[in-house]
Amino acid sequence: MATPRRPAAFRPPARRRLHESVAEQLRDAILDGRFRAGEKLPPERELAAEFEVNRTSLREAIKVLEGLGLVRVRQGDGATVRPLTEASLSVLPFMIHHDGRTDVQAVADVTEVLMPLFFEMARLAVERYRPAQLAALRALRAVVADAALAREARFEAVRQVLELVSDMTANRVWQMLARKTAAFLRSEPMRQARHDLRRDPGHSLPTIDRCLAALDARRPEDALAALREFIAGVGDVILDMRGARRRRAAS
Amino acid sequence: MATPRRPAAFRPPARRRLHESVAEQLRDAILDGRFRAGEKLPPERELAAEFEVNRTSLREAIKVLEGLGLVRVRQGDGATVRPLTEASLSVLPFMIHHDGRTDVQAVADVTEVLMPLFFEMARLAVERYRPAQLAALRALRAVVADAALAREARFEAVRQVLELVSDMTANRVWQMLARKTAAFLRSEPMRQARHDLRRDPGHSLPTIDRCLAALDARRPEDALAALREFIAGVGDVILDMRGARRRRAAS
DNA sequence: ATTGACAATTGGTTGGACCAACCGATAACC
DNA sequence: GGTTATCGGTTGGTCCAACCAATTGTCAAT
């Protein structure tokens, strides 16, 4: 169940572990193409010296990259960079934005997958939702509507609507997928995009209300239509990133 | 680009690294519910002693679990098990089958997400495919049709059709998703299911042929219909797992 | 030209030591 | 009595130095 969070005006102090910082730099290097698919990373001992960390820490970083599917490690041979298509979906946020650059094509690609996906999820949600989840939706609606709250807190409620809808499907896979997507929307590039656009979370309020009303009135068709409009609204935020970027580049 | 592989009559000797074996056992323990969400794993030093490995190796295993989103590690505190909904999609194959048990509900859940997803992918594929990819599809078709080849090799070609279709969309995210799915279909539980069912890879041949013919005749509608039928056929293999299991339990 | 043994390279594992964050218990304080 | 400050034990994070094991290329023997 999605529970509302505290307003998030401040950011955590980002106290990262050593190997995280190393893994991050290597990850960006691969995503940048500084190491191409098929090429080998330098030997662990060499990299450790370059990063000025112990080989143990360097190895833990490599382990992370391996988990992300970015490299394949073989004893005796080194760490080979794998094609990006083989990588885990967890790297998507970083494909979209790293080292200060945004890949507009990647943004479009993600949206093209996500939209039809969530449209289908909405269908299952209105079919299977349970009464308690309706109450939860109402609670989230109140947060989105509360203009006294911080903007980011209200956006968080919008993301949690997405998670709640996934809960309604009573399907663990949809739930996982929705949580991955919400995490993606919480990521730094998305935060930046919202900031640039100065969008108001309230724009999704009418669709939520229409959905609630339709569910009360037992009109699943209308509820589905409203829900899909809501989802399309979330998608627009993503797509607007491209517009915002062009605008910035033009000015 | 998907290229046909060598017949896979023999299996690789599965020479796993220490931390992989440890990570695997811990992962299954979590998926089993032997450690519940919110609970803490035993301290590293303790676990290392229990597994009879060095603490370094144990730590690398924990690092893997962390990458899978199964635990959250905090210095001074321990490793806390996270809810499964927060886990990475990479754990799906293991949710479905681990320690010899198959979770039929998980199988159904996965299929419910995958089907509509790939139907949409097929739509984009017939819209955007390039001529060279048609040739690749023909090559794969020949492998599927070649009754002289090992059964598993022909199934591999079927999976590569899925990857090829994703390439046709010219969308990296679809490509990643299809590769993840193909890997899922290659996983051990799926292999077992195919074995139980004694299904023939040739059953998808007619749909591939109809798709090729329709594309040649410039009838995208028919090509799409055939492609979706092909995908539904792949999905049936998954759904049949449940039937096979019931049958086994009944006998 | 082929094969086989060897050696260099590179990842895998170990043991032990110390640092740093967390948290609960205890003590000091109001 | 209740609150706050402090401290110490527990636990993860990092480092070091050494050795094991797989891979690959080299080179000699056939």
Side-chain angles (χ1 to χ4, degrees), chain B residues 37 51 55 104 114 132 183-184 210 222:
Chain B
F51 279 108
R55 195 175 147 223
V104 291
L114 249 37
F184 164 68
R210 278 177 37 217
D222 294 346

Side-chain angles (χ1 to χ4, degrees), chain A residues 16 21 29-30 35-36 44 47 85 94 109 115 125 135 145 154 168 187-188 193 220 243:
Chain A
R16 15 174 58 83
S21 170
I30 293 173
F35 296 106
R36 294 172 185 282
E44 293 181 348
L47 276 178
T85 45
F94 310 116
D109 285 355
M115 282 297 110
R154 297 167 63 206
M168 290 177 170
S187 66
E188 197 42 54

Side-chain angles (χ1 to χ4, degrees), chain B residues 9-138:
Chain B
F10 297 107
R11 310 284 309 285
R15 176 187 309 113
R16 12 173 62 81
R17 297 171 283 187
L18 257 189
H19 74 261
E20 279 178 356
S21 169
V22 173
E24 185 179 313
Q25 292 185 55
L26 286 175
R27 182 199 66 205
D28 285 349
I30 293 173
L31 258 28
D32 261 354
R34 299 209 289 277
F35 296 106
R36 293 173 186 284
E39 287 182 11
K40 279 198 177 59
L41 258 44
E44 293 181 348
R45 291 162 173 87
E46 204 172 304
L47 277 177
E50 194 159 344
F51 279 108
E52 294 180 13
V53 299
N54 187 274
R55 195 175 147 223
T56 311
S57 302
L58 192 280
R59 274 179 61 77
E60 295 196 340
I62 298 268
K63 206 68 51 195
V64 172
L65 297 184
E66 202 180 7
L68 288 175
L70 289 175
V71 299
R72 199 192 71 239
V73 181
R74 280 194 333 151
Q75 182 173 4
D77 201 16
T80 313
V81 178
R82 297 173 61 183
L84 280 193
T85 45
E86 310 279 339
S88 158
L89 296 176
S90 320
V91 305
L92 272 180
F94 310 116
M95 285 177 63
I96 284 180
H97 183 99
H98 61 98
D99 275 349
R101 268 190 297 278
T102 301
D103 182 340
V104 291
Q105 185 57 49
V107 174
D109 285 355
V110 169
T111 315
E112 190 171 275
V113 174
L114 249 37
M115 282 297 109
L117 191 64
F118 281 95
F119 280 3
E120 173 66 14
M121 183 176 86
R123 196 178 63 72
L124 294 174
V126 298
E127 247 176 49
R128 303 182 183 165
Y129 75 97
R130 291 179 305 110
Q133 293 169 326
L134 218 59
L137 181 54
R138 262 183 250 280

Side-chain angles (χ1 to χ4, degrees), chain B residues 144-171:
Chain B
V144 177
D146 187 350
L149 287 177
R151 192 155 150 281
E152 202 45 54
R154 297 168 63 206
F155 266 123
E156 176 58 28
V158 172
R159 288 188 289 266
Q160 291 186 7
V161 169
L162 216 57
E163 297 183 354
L164 178 59
V165 171
S166 77
D167 290 339
M168 291 177 169
T169 66
N171 179 325

Side-chain angles (χ1 to χ4, degrees), chain A residues 9-217:
Chain A
F10 298 107
R11 312 286 308 286
R15 178 188 310 113
R16 15 174 58 83
R17 298 170 283 186
L18 256 189
H19 73 262
E20 279 179 356
S21 170
V22 173
E24 185 179 313
Q25 292 184 56
L26 286 174
R27 187 231 306 142
D28 285 350
I30 293 173
L31 258 27
D32 260 353
R34 299 210 288 278
F35 296 106
R36 294 172 185 282
E39 288 183 9
K40 279 197 178 59
L41 257 45
E44 293 181 348
R45 292 162 174 87
E46 204 171 305
L47 276 178
E50 194 159 344
F51 279 107
E52 294 180 12
V53 299
N54 187 275
R55 196 174 147 220
T56 311
S57 303
L58 192 279
R59 273 178 62 77
E60 294 197 340
I62 299 267
K63 206 67 51 195
V64 172
L65 297 184
E66 202 180 8
L68 289 175
L70 288 175
V71 299
R72 201 192 71 239
V73 182
R74 281 192 336 149
Q75 183 176 167
D77 200 17
T80 313
V81 177
R82 299 174 62 184
L84 280 194
T85 45
E86 310 278 339
S88 159
L89 296 175
S90 320
V91 305
L92 272 181
F94 310 116
M95 285 177 62
I96 284 181
H97 182 99
H98 61 97
D99 274 349
R101 270 190 296 278
T102 300
D103 183 339
V104 290
Q105 185 57 47
V107 174
D109 285 355
V110 169
T111 315
E112 190 171 275
V113 174
L114 248 37
M115 282 297 110
L117 191 65
F118 282 100
F119 280 4
E120 173 65 14
M121 184 177 86
R123 196 178 64 72
L124 295 174
V126 298
E127 243 175 52
R128 303 181 184 167
Y129 74 98
R130 291 180 303 111
Q133 294 169 325
L134 218 60
L137 182 54
R138 263 183 248 282
L140 285 175
R141 184 236 176 252
V143 177
V144 177
D146 188 350
L149 286 177
R151 192 154 152 279
E152 201 46 53
R154 297 167 63 206
F155 266 125
E156 176 56 29
V158 172
R159 289 188 288 265
Q160 290 186 9
V161 169
L162 217 56
E163 297 184 354
L164 179 58
V165 171
S166 77
D167 290 340
M168 290 177 170
T169 66
N171 179 324
R172 264 181 303 175
V173 180
W174 281 118
Q175 291 172 350
M176 292 170 73
L177 221 39
R179 273 156 186 76
K180 297 285 154 302
T181 308
F184 163 67
L185 291 173
R186 275 181 207 109
S187 66
E188 197 42 54
M190 286 296 133
R191 187 186 301 270
Q192 190 61 41
R194 282 193 300 279
H195 185 265
D196 286 359
L197 295 170
R198 305 213 160 285
R199 260 189 110 113
D200 191 272
H203 78 285
S204 56
L205 216 46
T207 56
I208 298 180
D209 285 338
R210 277 176 39 214
C211 179
L212 276 167
L215 287 176
D216 283 337

